[in-house]
Amino acid sequence: MFQKPLPMSGKYAWLLLLITIFTSCGLHQSDHSPEPILFVRLQGVIHGTYEGPITLQVPDPLAYDEPLVLDTIELDSVGSFSISVAWSTPGKAELYFTEQYVPLYLMPGDTLHITYDLEADDAVFTGRGAAANTYLQDTERLKGEFALNPDLPPEAFLPRLDSLTAARQELLEALRPAVAAEHADHPFLPIAEVEIKSSRIDELQQYPWIHQYVTNSKNAPVLPAGIQEEIRSFPLSNETWFESTAFQYMVNRRLSDMIRDTLKKEKSVYDQRHYRFADSLLTGRMRELQLAQVVQEALTYGSGLETGGILLERFTTSDPSSRYLPYLQGMYERAAKVAVGRSAPRFTAVDLQGNIVKSEDLQGNLVYLDIWASWCMPCRKAMPDLVQLAKDMKGKPVQVVMLSVDDDEASWRKLAEQNPGPRHLFIQGGLSNQFSKDYNLSGVPKYYLLDREGTILQNNGPYPSKAKEALEELLAKSKGSI
């Protein structure tokens, strides 16, 4: 149920709906404050086979790979744990395992007991704080019960979304007396209300073009006029709603929808227009976050170092005290390390036979490097094109390499074996591993073109369906010397 959260990534941000909803929490830091230090205490037991530590952390809304780690502990011999941390502001966090997590909403003074079945991915909460956290668990279950498959026609999709929204609202109404019994005026309630509303709008605004994409339709379905007006009239800035991450995602994708007509133009045009829209239409913390995300996307998925640097400079000038600046500056430095003309960062991976493969082993050929993961729909959809590309390049000084950054090796292996032809490699650890940082990933798929010596020719390479033409052009220009 709760899989490792994934980052938002440009026009494919919808694929990252597995990300849970989080807000930053303020921690009491001064030993000399006259106010008492407040704590949350978490105790529990983990059922199932698990080796490794568990981490209590608060993910950053932008820097998904740099969460605020509050505590990391080892389980005892029977799988029990106990955590006590300073916590002065209500907010969401997660109890993080290697590949799964338990979402939490914590109030100062909570004493929460958690029994977690690792195999069933199911948590039971008791104690003060149990009501809100049980609600989070139940709302995740609803996603499975009312699966919103984007290939459904409108006449099936819209009633199912209505049923999901009604079920969420029913859970919320049942929650009210329970949380009120724990804390008067519980701040989780208004956040949960915004989550329901924002999630509905987000599903509606994404549905037409996602449906067109996954069904390969010529045209996107047209939503009823009343629903279109419901989407248009939903606010884009509301300072009291900012702590709802569903609201944050909805706004990000609304901006992308507004400028979808520029997707086929130069990426720098899309990035700069995206920035202008965010700057002019949004206010407060939402504006700051969305501008930072545009810079992030430009440096990773968009037009790259040049335009990303321009937008970063603009953001630095307009928001010099932004909390996001240090992360964006670090991202710019990482982007510079994988700029065109630089040597591709070295890595060590494994192949389907379990052999160790180093990046140096790929040298001597032009390399088309596809970085992907099994949970990514565009990655999976591109696989037939990659298989065909490998066939087209057979006998030529070209290697088509598919390198997975899955957390789960079994998921990688299953899809890799079903799509023979490309050279399949795997580096465990997801988008938070060192490889992902070295290659400046904020999502997948990501395509690189490398020359014979491992120098980067393109860091936002062509899609697999268009790669044959690009590769043959490179080979022709170099007369096979690349």
Side-chain angles (χ1 to χ4, degrees), residues 194-249:
V194 175
E195 288 289 325
I196 294 172
K197 295 176 182 177
S198 300
S199 295
R200 171 180 165 78
I201 296 298
D202 198 22
E203 294 286 0
L204 288 171
Q205 69 184 10
Q206 291 183 83
Y207 168 71
W209 66 268
I210 297 177
H211 177 85
Q212 181 183 12
Y213 175 79
V214 299
T215 59
N216 293 312
S217 303
K218 290 184 178 179
N219 299 304
V222 178
L223 296 175
I227 290 181
Q228 294 184 44
E229 177 58 29
E230 182 183 359
I231 295 171
R232 284 193 297 268
S233 62
F234 202 77
L236 292 178
S237 285
N238 186 316
E239 196 67 14
T240 62
W241 291 5
F242 178 78
E243 292 185 358
S244 163
T245 306
F247 181 57
Q248 295 173 9
Y249 293 163

Short mmCIF file of all heavy atoms in Angstrom, two decimals, residues 194-249:
data_model
loop_
_atom_site.label_atom_id
_atom_site.label_comp_id
_atom_site.label_asym_id
_atom_site.label_seq_id
_atom_site.Cartn_x
_atom_site.Cartn_y
_atom_site.Cartn_z
N VAL A 194 -8.96 19.89 2.61
CA VAL A 194 -8.31 20.42 1.41
C VAL A 194 -7.74 19.29 0.56
O VAL A 194 -7.78 19.33 -0.68
CB VAL A 194 -7.20 21.42 1.80
CG1 VAL A 194 -6.43 21.88 0.56
CG2 VAL A 194 -7.80 22.61 2.51
N GLU A 195 -7.24 18.25 1.22
CA GLU A 195 -6.71 17.10 0.49
C GLU A 195 -7.78 16.48 -0.39
O GLU A 195 -7.53 16.13 -1.55
CB GLU A 195 -6.18 16.05 1.47
CG GLU A 195 -4.89 16.42 2.17
CD GLU A 195 -3.70 16.38 1.22
OE1 GLU A 195 -3.67 15.52 0.32
OE2 GLU A 195 -2.81 17.21 1.39
N ILE A 196 -8.97 16.31 0.16
CA ILE A 196 -10.06 15.68 -0.60
C ILE A 196 -10.42 16.54 -1.81
O ILE A 196 -10.54 16.04 -2.94
CB ILE A 196 -11.28 15.46 0.30
CG1 ILE A 196 -10.96 14.44 1.40
CG2 ILE A 196 -12.49 15.02 -0.51
CD1 ILE A 196 -12.04 14.29 2.44
N LYS A 197 -10.59 17.83 -1.58
CA LYS A 197 -10.98 18.73 -2.68
C LYS A 197 -9.89 18.82 -3.74
O LYS A 197 -10.16 18.74 -4.94
CB LYS A 197 -11.27 20.12 -2.11
CG LYS A 197 -12.46 20.18 -1.17
CD LYS A 197 -12.61 21.58 -0.58
CE LYS A 197 -13.77 21.64 0.41
NZ LYS A 197 -13.88 22.98 1.04
N SER A 198 -8.65 18.98 -3.30
CA SER A 198 -7.54 19.14 -4.25
C SER A 198 -7.30 17.86 -5.03
O SER A 198 -6.99 17.91 -6.23
CB SER A 198 -6.26 19.54 -3.50
OG SER A 198 -6.43 20.77 -2.82
N SER A 199 -7.42 16.72 -4.37
CA SER A 199 -7.22 15.45 -5.05
C SER A 199 -8.25 15.25 -6.15
O SER A 199 -7.93 14.77 -7.25
CB SER A 199 -7.28 14.28 -4.06
OG SER A 199 -6.22 14.34 -3.14
N ARG A 200 -9.48 15.63 -5.87
CA ARG A 200 -10.53 15.50 -6.89
C ARG A 200 -10.22 16.38 -8.10
O ARG A 200 -10.28 15.91 -9.25
CB ARG A 200 -11.88 15.89 -6.30
CG ARG A 200 -12.98 15.99 -7.35
CD ARG A 200 -14.33 16.37 -6.74
NE ARG A 200 -15.27 16.80 -7.77
CZ ARG A 200 -15.91 15.96 -8.56
NH1 ARG A 200 -15.74 14.66 -8.43
NH2 ARG A 200 -16.76 16.41 -9.47
N ILE A 201 -9.89 17.64 -7.86
CA ILE A 201 -9.58 18.54 -8.97
C ILE A 201 -8.37 18.04 -9.74
O ILE A 201 -8.34 18.09 -10.98
CB ILE A 201 -9.34 19.97 -8.44
CG1 ILE A 201 -10.61 20.53 -7.81
CG2 ILE A 201 -8.85 20.89 -9.56
CD1 ILE A 201 -11.77 20.66 -8.76
N ASP A 202 -7.37 17.55 -9.04
CA ASP A 202 -6.16 17.07 -9.69
C ASP A 202 -6.47 15.88 -10.60
O ASP A 202 -5.98 15.80 -11.73
CB ASP A 202 -5.13 16.68 -8.63
CG ASP A 202 -3.73 16.59 -9.20
OD1 ASP A 202 -3.47 17.20 -10.25
OD2 ASP A 202 -2.89 15.91 -8.58
N GLU A 203 -7.29 14.95 -10.11
CA GLU A 203 -7.65 13.79 -10.92
C GLU A 203 -8.43 14.24 -12.17
O GLU A 203 -8.20 13.73 -13.28
CB GLU A 203 -8.50 12.81 -10.11
CG GLU A 203 -7.79 12.15 -8.95
CD GLU A 203 -6.81 11.08 -9.40
OE1 GLU A 203 -6.69 10.84 -10.63
OE2 GLU A 203 -6.16 10.48 -8.53
N LEU A 204 -9.31 15.19 -12.00
CA LEU A 204 -10.11 15.67 -13.13
C LEU A 204 -9.26 16.36 -14.18
O LEU A 204 -9.42 16.12 -15.39
CB LEU A 204 -11.20 16.64 -12.63
CG LEU A 204 -12.36 16.02 -11.85
CD1 LEU A 204 -13.22 17.11 -11.24
CD2 LEU A 204 -13.19 15.10 -12.74
N GLN A 205 -8.34 17.22 -13.75
CA GLN A 205 -7.57 17.98 -14.72
C GLN A 205 -6.54 17.11 -15.45
O GLN A 205 -6.16 17.41 -16.58
CB GLN A 205 -6.89 19.18 -14.05
CG GLN A 205 -5.78 18.83 -13.09
CD GLN A 205 -5.22 20.08 -12.38
OE1 GLN A 205 -5.78 21.17 -12.49
NE2 GLN A 205 -4.12 19.92 -11.69
N GLN A 206 -6.11 16.03 -14.81
CA GLN A 206 -5.13 15.15 -15.44
C GLN A 206 -5.78 14.14 -16.38
O GLN A 206 -5.16 13.73 -17.37
CB GLN A 206 -4.37 14.36 -14.38
CG GLN A 206 -3.43 15.17 -13.53
CD GLN A 206 -2.71 14.25 -12.58
OE1 GLN A 206 -1.72 13.63 -12.94
NE2 GLN A 206 -3.20 14.13 -11.37
N TYR A 207 -6.98 13.76 -16.06
CA TYR A 207 -7.60 12.61 -16.74
C TYR A 207 -7.60 12.71 -18.27
O TYR A 207 -7.20 11.74 -18.94
CB TYR A 207 -9.02 12.40 -16.22
CG TYR A 207 -9.81 11.44 -17.07
CD1 TYR A 207 -9.52 10.07 -17.07
CD2 TYR A 207 -10.84 11.90 -17.90
CE1 TYR A 207 -10.23 9.19 -17.87
CE2 TYR A 207 -11.55 11.02 -18.70
CZ TYR A 207 -11.24 9.68 -18.69
OH TYR A 207 -11.93 8.81 -19.48
N PRO A 208 -8.04 13.83 -18.89
CA PRO A 208 -8.15 13.81 -20.35
C PRO A 208 -6.85 13.50 -21.07
O PRO A 208 -6.81 12.64 -21.96
CB PRO A 208 -8.65 15.23 -20.68
CG PRO A 208 -9.37 15.67 -19.44
CD PRO A 208 -8.57 15.09 -18.32
N TRP A 209 -5.76 14.18 -20.70
CA TRP A 209 -4.53 13.96 -21.46
C TRP A 209 -3.82 12.67 -21.07
O TRP A 209 -3.15 12.05 -21.90
CB TRP A 209 -3.60 15.17 -21.36
CG TRP A 209 -3.01 15.47 -20.01
CD1 TRP A 209 -3.53 16.29 -19.06
CD2 TRP A 209 -1.77 15.00 -19.51
NE1 TRP A 209 -2.69 16.35 -17.97
CE2 TRP A 209 -1.60 15.57 -18.22
CE3 TRP A 209 -0.77 14.16 -19.99
CZ2 TRP A 209 -0.49 15.31 -17.43
CZ3 TRP A 209 0.34 13.91 -19.19
CH2 TRP A 209 0.47 14.48 -17.93
N ILE A 210 -3.99 12.23 -19.81
CA ILE A 210 -3.42 10.93 -19.44
C ILE A 210 -4.17 9.82 -20.18
O ILE A 210 -3.56 8.86 -20.68
CB ILE A 210 -3.48 10.71 -17.92
CG1 ILE A 210 -2.64 11.74 -17.20
CG2 ILE A 210 -2.98 9.31 -17.58
CD1 ILE A 210 -2.71 11.63 -15.70
N HIS A 211 -5.49 9.93 -20.25
CA HIS A 211 -6.28 8.95 -20.97
C HIS A 211 -5.84 8.89 -22.43
O HIS A 211 -5.66 7.79 -23.00
CB HIS A 211 -7.76 9.30 -20.89
CG HIS A 211 -8.66 8.39 -21.67
ND1 HIS A 211 -9.12 7.21 -21.16
CD2 HIS A 211 -9.15 8.49 -22.94
CE1 HIS A 211 -9.87 6.61 -22.07
NE2 HIS A 211 -9.90 7.36 -23.17
N GLN A 212 -5.65 10.03 -23.04
CA GLN A 212 -5.20 10.07 -24.43
C GLN A 212 -3.83 9.40 -24.57
O GLN A 212 -3.58 8.66 -25.53
CB GLN A 212 -5.12 11.52 -24.92
CG GLN A 212 -4.69 11.65 -26.36
CD GLN A 212 -4.56 13.10 -26.80
OE1 GLN A 212 -4.58 14.02 -25.97
NE2 GLN A 212 -4.45 13.32 -28.10
N TYR A 213 -2.96 9.64 -23.60
CA TYR A 213 -1.60 9.09 -23.66
C TYR A 213 -1.60 7.57 -23.53
O TYR A 213 -1.01 6.87 -24.35
CB TYR A 213 -0.76 9.72 -22.56
CG TYR A 213 0.63 9.15 -22.44
CD1 TYR A 213 1.64 9.53 -23.31
CD2 TYR A 213 0.94 8.22 -21.45
CE1 TYR A 213 2.91 9.01 -23.20
CE2 TYR A 213 2.21 7.69 -21.33
CZ TYR A 213 3.19 8.09 -22.21
OH TYR A 213 4.45 7.55 -22.09
N VAL A 214 -2.29 7.05 -22.52
CA VAL A 214 -2.20 5.61 -22.25
C VAL A 214 -3.02 4.79 -23.25
O VAL A 214 -2.76 3.59 -23.43
CB VAL A 214 -2.64 5.28 -20.81
CG1 VAL A 214 -1.75 5.98 -19.81
CG2 VAL A 214 -4.10 5.64 -20.57
N THR A 215 -4.02 5.41 -23.90
CA THR A 215 -4.83 4.67 -24.87
C THR A 215 -4.40 4.94 -26.30
O THR A 215 -4.99 4.37 -27.23
CB THR A 215 -6.32 5.05 -24.72
OG1 THR A 215 -6.47 6.46 -24.93
CG2 THR A 215 -6.83 4.68 -23.34
N ASN A 216 -3.39 5.80 -26.47
CA ASN A 216 -2.90 6.16 -27.81
C ASN A 216 -4.02 6.72 -28.69
O ASN A 216 -4.07 6.47 -29.91
CB ASN A 216 -2.26 4.94 -28.50
CG ASN A 216 -0.99 4.50 -27.81
OD1 ASN A 216 -0.12 5.31 -27.51
ND2 ASN A 216 -0.87 3.20 -27.55
N SER A 217 -4.92 7.46 -28.07
CA SER A 217 -6.03 8.05 -28.81
C SER A 217 -5.58 9.31 -29.55
O SER A 217 -4.62 9.98 -29.13
CB SER A 217 -7.17 8.42 -27.85
OG SER A 217 -7.60 7.28 -27.12
N LYS A 218 -6.25 9.63 -30.63
CA LYS A 218 -5.92 10.84 -31.38
C LYS A 218 -6.34 12.09 -30.62
O LYS A 218 -5.68 13.13 -30.69
CB LYS A 218 -6.60 10.81 -32.75
CG LYS A 218 -6.02 9.77 -33.70
CD LYS A 218 -6.67 9.87 -35.06
CE LYS A 218 -6.06 8.85 -36.03
NZ LYS A 218 -6.70 8.93 -37.37
N ASN A 219 -7.44 11.98 -29.89
CA ASN A 219 -7.98 13.14 -29.18
C ASN A 219 -8.24 12.79 -27.72
O ASN A 219 -8.57 11.64 -27.40
CB ASN A 219 -9.28 13.63 -29.83
CG ASN A 219 -9.08 14.05 -31.27
OD1 ASN A 219 -8.25 14.91 -31.55
ND2 ASN A 219 -9.82 13.43 -32.18
N ALA A 220 -8.12 13.79 -26.88
CA ALA A 220 -8.43 13.61 -25.46
C ALA A 220 -9.93 13.72 -25.25
O ALA A 220 -10.60 14.49 -25.94
CB ALA A 220 -7.71 14.67 -24.62
N PRO A 221 -10.49 12.95 -24.32
CA PRO A 221 -11.92 13.08 -24.03
C PRO A 221 -12.23 14.47 -23.47
O PRO A 221 -11.41 15.08 -22.78
CB PRO A 221 -12.18 11.99 -22.99
CG PRO A 221 -10.85 11.71 -22.38
CD PRO A 221 -9.84 11.95 -23.46
N VAL A 222 -13.40 14.96 -23.78
CA VAL A 222 -13.83 16.29 -23.33
C VAL A 222 -14.71 16.14 -22.10
O VAL A 222 -15.73 15.43 -22.13
CB VAL A 222 -14.59 17.03 -24.45
CG1 VAL A 222 -15.07 18.40 -23.95
CG2 VAL A 222 -13.70 17.19 -25.68
N LEU A 223 -14.32 16.81 -21.02
CA LEU A 223 -15.11 16.75 -19.80
C LEU A 223 -16.34 17.64 -19.91
O LEU A 223 -16.34 18.63 -20.64
CB LEU A 223 -14.25 17.20 -18.61
CG LEU A 223 -13.04 16.33 -18.28
CD1 LEU A 223 -12.22 16.96 -17.16
CD2 LEU A 223 -13.47 14.92 -17.88
N PRO A 224 -17.41 17.32 -19.18
CA PRO A 224 -18.61 18.17 -19.20
C PRO A 224 -18.27 19.61 -18.82
O PRO A 224 -17.34 19.87 -18.04
CB PRO A 224 -19.52 17.51 -18.17
CG PRO A 224 -19.07 16.08 -18.14
CD PRO A 224 -17.59 16.12 -18.36
N ALA A 225 -19.05 20.54 -19.33
CA ALA A 225 -18.78 21.96 -19.11
C ALA A 225 -18.75 22.31 -17.62
O ALA A 225 -17.93 23.13 -17.18
CB ALA A 225 -19.83 22.80 -19.83
N GLY A 226 -19.64 21.69 -16.85
CA GLY A 226 -19.67 21.98 -15.42
C GLY A 226 -18.38 21.57 -14.71
O GLY A 226 -17.91 22.28 -13.81
N ILE A 227 -17.81 20.45 -15.12
CA ILE A 227 -16.56 20.00 -14.52
C ILE A 227 -15.40 20.90 -14.95
O ILE A 227 -14.52 21.23 -14.15
CB ILE A 227 -16.30 18.53 -14.89
CG1 ILE A 227 -17.30 17.63 -14.17
CG2 ILE A 227 -14.87 18.13 -14.55
CD1 ILE A 227 -17.13 16.16 -14.45
N GLN A 228 -15.41 21.31 -16.20
CA GLN A 228 -14.37 22.23 -16.66
C GLN A 228 -14.40 23.52 -15.86
O GLN A 228 -13.34 24.07 -15.50
CB GLN A 228 -14.55 22.52 -18.15
CG GLN A 228 -14.33 21.32 -19.05
CD GLN A 228 -14.41 21.68 -20.51
OE1 GLN A 228 -13.88 22.69 -20.95
NE2 GLN A 228 -15.13 20.86 -21.29
N GLU A 229 -15.59 24.02 -15.57
CA GLU A 229 -15.70 25.24 -14.77
C GLU A 229 -15.25 24.99 -13.34
O GLU A 229 -14.62 25.86 -12.71
CB GLU A 229 -17.15 25.74 -14.80
CG GLU A 229 -17.39 26.97 -13.93
CD GLU A 229 -16.52 28.16 -14.33
OE1 GLU A 229 -16.14 28.27 -15.51
OE2 GLU A 229 -16.20 28.99 -13.44
N GLU A 230 -15.56 23.81 -12.80
CA GLU A 230 -15.12 23.45 -11.45
C GLU A 230 -13.59 23.48 -11.36
O GLU A 230 -13.03 23.98 -10.38
CB GLU A 230 -15.64 22.06 -11.10
CG GLU A 230 -15.28 21.59 -9.69
CD GLU A 230 -15.76 20.18 -9.42
OE1 GLU A 230 -16.38 19.55 -10.30
OE2 GLU A 230 -15.50 19.68 -8.30
N ILE A 231 -12.93 22.99 -12.39
CA ILE A 231 -11.46 23.01 -12.41
C ILE A 231 -10.95 24.44 -12.50
O ILE A 231 -10.05 24.84 -11.76
CB ILE A 231 -10.94 22.16 -13.59
CG1 ILE A 231 -11.30 20.70 -13.40
CG2 ILE A 231 -9.42 22.32 -13.74
CD1 ILE A 231 -11.01 19.82 -14.61
N ARG A 232 -11.50 25.21 -13.44
CA ARG A 232 -11.01 26.58 -13.66
C ARG A 232 -11.19 27.46 -12.44
O ARG A 232 -10.37 28.34 -12.16
CB ARG A 232 -11.73 27.21 -14.85
CG ARG A 232 -11.26 26.72 -16.21
CD ARG A 232 -11.79 27.62 -17.30
NE ARG A 232 -13.25 27.61 -17.36
CZ ARG A 232 -13.97 26.79 -18.12
NH1 ARG A 232 -13.36 25.90 -18.89
NH2 ARG A 232 -15.28 26.83 -18.11
N SER A 233 -12.27 27.25 -11.70
CA SER A 233 -12.59 28.14 -10.58
C SER A 233 -11.88 27.75 -9.28
O SER A 233 -11.96 28.50 -8.29
CB SER A 233 -14.10 28.17 -10.35
OG SER A 233 -14.58 26.88 -10.00
N PHE A 234 -11.20 26.62 -9.26
CA PHE A 234 -10.54 26.20 -8.03
C PHE A 234 -9.32 27.09 -7.78
O PHE A 234 -8.52 27.34 -8.69
CB PHE A 234 -10.10 24.74 -8.14
CG PHE A 234 -9.88 24.08 -6.81
CD1 PHE A 234 -10.96 23.65 -6.05
CD2 PHE A 234 -8.60 23.87 -6.32
CE1 PHE A 234 -10.78 23.03 -4.83
CE2 PHE A 234 -8.41 23.26 -5.10
CZ PHE A 234 -9.50 22.83 -4.35
N PRO A 235 -9.14 27.60 -6.56
CA PRO A 235 -8.05 28.56 -6.30
C PRO A 235 -6.66 27.96 -6.55
O PRO A 235 -6.43 26.77 -6.33
CB PRO A 235 -8.23 28.89 -4.81
CG PRO A 235 -9.63 28.49 -4.47
CD PRO A 235 -9.96 27.34 -5.37
N LEU A 236 -5.75 28.81 -6.99
CA LEU A 236 -4.36 28.40 -7.18
C LEU A 236 -3.47 28.85 -6.03
O LEU A 236 -2.37 28.31 -5.86
CB LEU A 236 -3.81 28.97 -8.49
CG LEU A 236 -4.41 28.40 -9.78
CD1 LEU A 236 -3.80 29.08 -10.99
CD2 LEU A 236 -4.21 26.90 -9.84
N SER A 237 -3.89 29.83 -5.30
CA SER A 237 -3.12 30.29 -4.14
C SER A 237 -4.06 30.47 -2.95
O SER A 237 -5.09 31.13 -3.06
CB SER A 237 -2.42 31.62 -4.43
OG SER A 237 -1.30 31.44 -5.26
N ASN A 238 -3.70 29.84 -1.86
CA ASN A 238 -4.43 29.98 -0.61
C ASN A 238 -3.44 29.62 0.49
O ASN A 238 -3.08 28.46 0.64
CB ASN A 238 -5.66 29.07 -0.58
CG ASN A 238 -6.52 29.29 0.65
OD1 ASN A 238 -6.02 29.41 1.76
ND2 ASN A 238 -7.83 29.33 0.45
N GLU A 239 -3.00 30.62 1.21
CA GLU A 239 -1.91 30.41 2.15
C GLU A 239 -2.26 29.37 3.22
O GLU A 239 -1.40 28.61 3.65
CB GLU A 239 -1.53 31.75 2.82
CG GLU A 239 -0.18 31.74 3.50
CD GLU A 239 0.99 31.61 2.54
OE1 GLU A 239 0.81 31.77 1.33
OE2 GLU A 239 2.12 31.33 3.03
N THR A 240 -3.52 29.32 3.62
CA THR A 240 -3.91 28.35 4.65
C THR A 240 -3.98 26.93 4.10
O THR A 240 -4.03 25.98 4.87
CB THR A 240 -5.26 28.73 5.27
OG1 THR A 240 -6.27 28.70 4.25
CG2 THR A 240 -5.20 30.12 5.88
N TRP A 241 -3.97 26.79 2.77
CA TRP A 241 -4.02 25.47 2.16
C TRP A 241 -2.64 24.93 1.80
O TRP A 241 -2.53 23.79 1.36
CB TRP A 241 -4.87 25.51 0.88
CG TRP A 241 -6.33 25.72 1.11
CD1 TRP A 241 -6.96 25.98 2.30
CD2 TRP A 241 -7.35 25.71 0.10
NE1 TRP A 241 -8.30 26.13 2.10
CE2 TRP A 241 -8.58 25.97 0.76
CE3 TRP A 241 -7.36 25.51 -1.26
CZ2 TRP A 241 -9.79 26.03 0.08
CZ3 TRP A 241 -8.55 25.55 -1.95
CH2 TRP A 241 -9.76 25.81 -1.29
N PHE A 242 -1.63 25.73 1.98
CA PHE A 242 -0.31 25.35 1.47
C PHE A 242 0.18 24.04 2.05
O PHE A 242 0.88 23.28 1.38
CB PHE A 242 0.71 26.47 1.77
CG PHE A 242 2.10 26.13 1.31
CD1 PHE A 242 2.44 26.23 -0.02
CD2 PHE A 242 3.05 25.68 2.20
CE1 PHE A 242 3.71 25.91 -0.47
CE2 PHE A 242 4.33 25.35 1.78
CZ PHE A 242 4.67 25.47 0.44
N GLU A 243 -0.16 23.75 3.30
CA GLU A 243 0.37 22.55 3.93
C GLU A 243 -0.22 21.27 3.35
O GLU A 243 0.24 20.18 3.68
CB GLU A 243 0.13 22.61 5.44
CG GLU A 243 0.96 23.68 6.12
CD GLU A 243 0.81 23.67 7.63
OE1 GLU A 243 0.02 22.84 8.12
OE2 GLU A 243 1.47 24.47 8.29
N SER A 244 -1.20 21.40 2.49
CA SER A 244 -1.73 20.23 1.78
C SER A 244 -0.87 19.97 0.55
O SER A 244 -0.84 20.76 -0.38
CB SER A 244 -3.18 20.47 1.36
OG SER A 244 -3.56 19.55 0.37
N THR A 245 -0.17 18.85 0.55
CA THR A 245 0.68 18.55 -0.59
C THR A 245 -0.16 18.19 -1.81
O THR A 245 0.25 18.41 -2.94
CB THR A 245 1.67 17.42 -0.25
OG1 THR A 245 2.38 17.80 0.91
CG2 THR A 245 2.64 17.20 -1.37
N ALA A 246 -1.35 17.63 -1.61
CA ALA A 246 -2.24 17.39 -2.74
C ALA A 246 -2.57 18.72 -3.43
O ALA A 246 -2.66 18.79 -4.66
CB ALA A 246 -3.52 16.71 -2.28
N PHE A 247 -2.74 19.77 -2.65
CA PHE A 247 -2.97 21.10 -3.22
C PHE A 247 -1.73 21.57 -3.98
O PHE A 247 -1.82 22.13 -5.08
CB PHE A 247 -3.33 22.08 -2.11
CG PHE A 247 -3.61 23.48 -2.57
CD1 PHE A 247 -4.59 23.74 -3.52
CD2 PHE A 247 -2.89 24.55 -2.05
CE1 PHE A 247 -4.85 25.04 -3.95
CE2 PHE A 247 -3.15 25.85 -2.47
CZ PHE A 247 -4.13 26.09 -3.42
N GLN A 248 -0.54 21.34 -3.44
CA GLN A 248 0.69 21.72 -4.12
C GLN A 248 0.81 21.02 -5.48
O GLN A 248 1.14 21.65 -6.49
CB GLN A 248 1.90 21.37 -3.25
CG GLN A 248 1.98 22.15 -1.95
CD GLN A 248 3.10 21.64 -1.06
OE1 GLN A 248 3.92 20.82 -1.47
NE2 GLN A 248 3.14 22.12 0.17
N TYR A 249 0.53 19.72 -5.50
CA TYR A 249 0.64 18.98 -6.75
C TYR A 249 -0.40 19.43 -7.76
O TYR A 249 -0.14 19.52 -8.96
CB TYR A 249 0.50 17.48 -6.50
CG TYR A 249 1.63 16.89 -5.71
CD1 TYR A 249 1.51 15.64 -5.10
CD2 TYR A 249 2.84 17.57 -5.55
CE1 TYR A 249 2.55 15.09 -4.38
CE2 TYR A 249 3.88 17.03 -4.83
CZ TYR A 249 3.73 15.79 -4.24
OH TYR A 249 4.75 15.25 -3.51
#
